[in-house]
Amino acid sequence: MANSVDIKYYLILAAVLFCLGMFGVLVRRNALVVFMCVELMLNAANLTFLAFAKQHGNVTGHVSAFFVIAVAAAEASIGLAIVIAVFRSRGTVNIEDIRTMKH
């Protein structure tokens, strides 16, 4: 295929996305930003699955990416519900301020 992109570029992009997400999780204190950074890391994993699926020509990577997308959707819905509940009770989404679960 003449327009095929080499797998190493996909893997480099996935590594960069994963590192950006990991950096955001470790540095940021806003719970919403942490969720977005986790989504970035999951999408980096999806990119890796799909790159290897393209390389080997099978559907295993696509199935894995589908499961990761399902887990990410569940994580986002449950996580956002928790963040909204915490914001309503405490008035903040700063992780430093919501360390304890009791009132």
Side-chain angles (χ1 to χ4, degrees), residues 21-75:
M22 185 174 62
F23 179 75
V25 167
L26 293 175
V27 171
R28 299 301 301 248
R29 296 293 171 233
N30 188 326
L32 294 175
V33 175
V34 170
F35 277 128
M36 287 191 293
C37 291
V38 169
E39 296 291 331
L40 196 59
M41 289 191 293
L42 291 173
N43 283 326
N46 279 341
L47 183 60
T48 303
F49 287 137
L50 295 176
F52 280 112
K54 179 186 174 192
Q55 178 76 19
H56 297 293
N58 59 14
V59 296
T60 307
H62 296 279
V63 173
S64 299
F66 179 74
F67 282 118
V68 170
I69 289 170
V71 169
E75 175 261 338

Side-chain angles (χ1 to χ4, degrees), residues 19-20 22 24 36 38 47 50 69 81 87 92 94-95 103:
C19 289
L20 284 173
M22 185 174 62
M36 287 191 293
V38 169
L47 183 60
L50 295 176
I69 289 170
F87 181 75
T92 183
N94 190 348
I95 294 175
H103 288 275

